[in-house]
Amino acid sequence: MGDIAHSLWAISERITPQSAWDFSLFLRVRDALQKDIHDGAAHSGFPLTPQRLVADLRAIMPRDGIVSLDNGMYKI
């Protein structure tokens, strides 16, 4: 176990950005995933989508609340 915030900070302190890095594929994948999450969250039909369930839970949870999801749902 460790402090993920500190670990990410420590890694970021040691990384030097490189001009050759290309994040275009990552950005396209991220945008497609965000669209899928948004579309699923707005779905009002049956069966209930996981994205809708998570969106509804987020709407009623306090900002500092924690919800633990099943293994396959980490992306939303």
Side-chain angles (χ1 to χ4, degrees), residues 7-19 21 23:
S7 298
L8 291 174
W9 171 83
I11 291 169
S12 72
E13 288 293 305
R14 292 185 171 97
I15 292 177
T16 303
Q18 305 294 311
S19 61
W21 289 352
F23 295 103

Side-chain angles (χ1 to χ4, degrees), residues 24-43:
S24 59
L25 176 60
F26 166 78
L27 295 173
R28 287 194 312 271
V29 170
R30 182 196 64 181
D31 291 345
L33 178 58
Q34 287 176 337
K35 181 183 181 318
D36 180 64
I37 291 169
H38 178 268
D39 292 349
H43 186 265

Side-chain angles (χ1 to χ4, degrees), residues 36-43 45 47-58 67 69-70 72-76:
D36 180 64
I37 291 169
H38 178 268
D39 292 349
H43 186 265
L48 185 66
T49 63
Q51 298 93 325
R52 173 65 189 270
L53 178 63
V54 171
D56 289 352
L57 282 172
R58 283 181 173 161
V67 174
L69 300 173
D70 190 20
M73 303 310 299
Y74 61 88
K75 70 179 187 245
I76 61 170

